[in-house]
Amino acid sequence: MIADRIRAALTAPLADLGLVVEDLSVQAAGRRRVVRVAVDVDLADLASDDTTSRIAPLSLDEIADATRVVSDTLDAAGTMGETAYVLEVSSPGVERPLLQWRQWRRNVGRLVVATRPDGTAVRGRIRAVTTDAVDLAPESAAVLTLPIAELTRARIEVEFGRVDDLDDLDELNDASEEDD
C-alpha cells in the first residue's frame, strides 16, 4: 500500500528532526493525490520514569522544516511515481482523540474529558501518564488513576487561559479548597 511505503520512507528523515509520523493518509483527488501527514514530537528520548514533564507543541518553524523534509523525501524516493500530489503537513491538533499513551503523554497539563466504559465522563487535568495509565485531576475530587486501555473516548478541551505550570495548578486547587 502506498501509505505504508510513504511512512517507511519518512521515518528516518523525520527522526532526524525529532519527529514521528502520527497519522498519514493518501486520497485520490481527480488526477492528483492528496497526501496528509500529521507529525508530532518523538518521545523516544524521554526518560522512562518521566511521567509529568510538559511537551511543547510544535512551532510553525518545526512544521515548515517537516514539510520540506517530507516533500524532498517523497520527490527523491520516487514514492509517488509520476502522479502529481498535493502535500499537507500538520501537527495532530486538539480535535484528535487521545487513543494511545503517547498522545496522552504529549498533553500533560491539559484539560481533558475522558469517557469510562460505563459511559460516565471524567473532566480533569492530565497530571501524569505512564504507558498504561493516566492520572487525572478533576476540579472537585482527588486525583484519579485511570487505565488508558479502559477509556472509550477522550478529547482535549480548548482553554483560552491555560495554567502553564502544574505547580500553579496546585496553588489554584489549594486556594479554592481554602475558599470552601
Side-chain angles (χ1 to χ4, degrees):
M1 174 170 231
I2 191 165
D4 294 334
R5 288 194 319 257
I6 292 172
R7 184 181 295 271
L10 295 177
T11 299
L14 286 173
D16 292 342
L17 297 176
L19 302 174
V20 294
V21 175
E22 185 67 29
D23 193 20
L24 187 140
S25 69
V26 180
Q27 296 175 331
R31 295 182 182 167
R32 300 179 184 190
R33 290 184 180 161
V34 177
V35 180
R36 290 185 179 94
V37 182
V39 297
D40 214 336
V41 177
D42 187 356
L43 299 178
D45 293 335
L46 202 60
S48 61
D49 62 343
D50 180 356
T51 62
T52 61
S53 65
R54 296 278 179 109
I55 311 272
L58 293 178
S59 69
L60 290 176
D61 288 338
E62 290 170 311
I63 294 294
D65 291 342
T67 301
R68 281 188 286 281
V69 165
V70 170
S71 178
D72 292 347
T73 301
L74 292 180
D75 292 344
T79 306
M80 298 303 295
E82 296 298 317
T83 306
Y85 65 94
V86 175
L87 177 62
E88 298 176 10
V89 178
S90 65
S91 63
V94 296
E95 74 283 353
R96 301 253 178 148
L98 304 178
L99 303 171
Q100 301 169 343
W101 79 269
R102 68 179 189 272
Q103 294 160 335
W104 282 92
R105 182 61 187 84
R106 288 184 187 113
N107 286 289
V108 165
R110 310 246 358 227
L111 194 59
V112 67
V113 175
T115 305
R116 294 175 168 169
D118 65 2
T120 59
V122 178
R123 181 176 184 262
R125 195 160 304 277
I126 302 170
R127 298 299 301 243
V129 178
T130 65
T131 55
D132 300 321
V134 58
D135 288 350
L136 287 183
E139 292 175 356
S140 61
V143 173
L144 301 171
T145 299
L146 304 170
I148 292 172
E150 292 180 13
L151 297 173
T152 59
R153 188 177 139 177
R155 292 206 186 267
I156 297 295
E157 285 201 352
V158 177
E159 296 178 87
F160 295 104
R162 196 172 98 171
V163 176
D164 286 329
D165 187 355
L166 290 177
D167 293 334
D168 292 343
L169 178 62
D170 289 334
E171 291 172 18
L172 287 173
N173 287 341
D174 292 344
S176 67
E177 288 172 7
E178 291 171 4
D179 292 340
D180 292 338

